[in-house]
Amino acid sequence: AVTLLLDHTLSRTSTTSYTSGYRLFSRFVSMYGIDVQSSSFLSPLLLLRFIAFCHSVRGLQSSTIRSYLAAIRFFRLRAGFSDPFLDHHGAVIPQIKLALLDSRRLHFVTPR
């Protein structure tokens, strides 16, 4: 019942974006031998690597990366797992916050 309620909280556009982002994340973590459907814990390092991959390899804008991270959070919570972006005290993991800030800043740097 909770899953059904969560499914109706997103617009069609958000659902499409979230699905795309979560698929990319699933493919990314499979390179590390992790099955996101059964793994209850996602390490902050793995999430940081995904941010770097999105920025450096895929060339995604910071806003798209943020959307993909929101998708990860949404699908993880929907599956009954804890929020992957909070530490065991319930605080936002600072390295992830800094990585997102850096990806935003780097996007606006023009090469000389």
Side-chain angles (χ1 to χ4, degrees), residues 32-108:
Y32 292 95
I34 298 170
D35 176 18
V36 292
Q37 305 304 327
S38 62
S39 180
S40 63
F41 175 75
L42 298 177
S43 77
L45 181 58
L46 181 68
L47 296 168
L48 289 169
R49 286 180 177 161
F50 180 67
I51 294 168
F53 169 78
C54 287
H55 177 77
S56 300
V57 176
R58 300 292 294 227
L60 300 177
Q61 293 185 12
S62 179
S63 59
T64 304
I65 296 170
R66 286 180 182 276
S67 175
Y68 285 4
L69 295 178
I72 294 167
R73 173 181 282 130
F74 176 80
F75 284 109
R76 297 294 291 177
L77 292 174
R78 182 176 170 254
F81 297 119
S82 62
D83 188 328
F85 301 100
L86 300 179
D87 65 15
H88 60 278
H89 297 294
V92 175
I93 299 169
Q95 294 88 343
I96 291 174
K97 192 174 184 177
L98 288 172
L100 286 171
L101 182 61
D102 287 346
S103 74
R104 183 169 176 237
R105 284 186 188 150
L106 290 172
H107 184 71
F108 293 105

Side-chain angles (χ1 to χ4, degrees), residues 16-37:
T16 301
S17 175
Y18 277 24
T19 301
S20 175
Y22 199 69
R23 278 190 195 137
L24 178 62
F25 179 69
S26 296
R27 287 192 309 263
F28 174 79
V29 297
S30 71
M31 293 186 305
Y32 292 95
I34 298 170
D35 176 18
V36 292
Q37 305 304 327

Side-chain angles (χ1 to χ4, degrees), residues 1-16:
V2 173
T3 301
L4 184 61
L5 287 173
L6 286 174
D7 287 343
H8 293 292
T9 61
L10 299 177
S11 69
R12 287 185 181 167
T13 304
S14 294
T15 300
T16 301

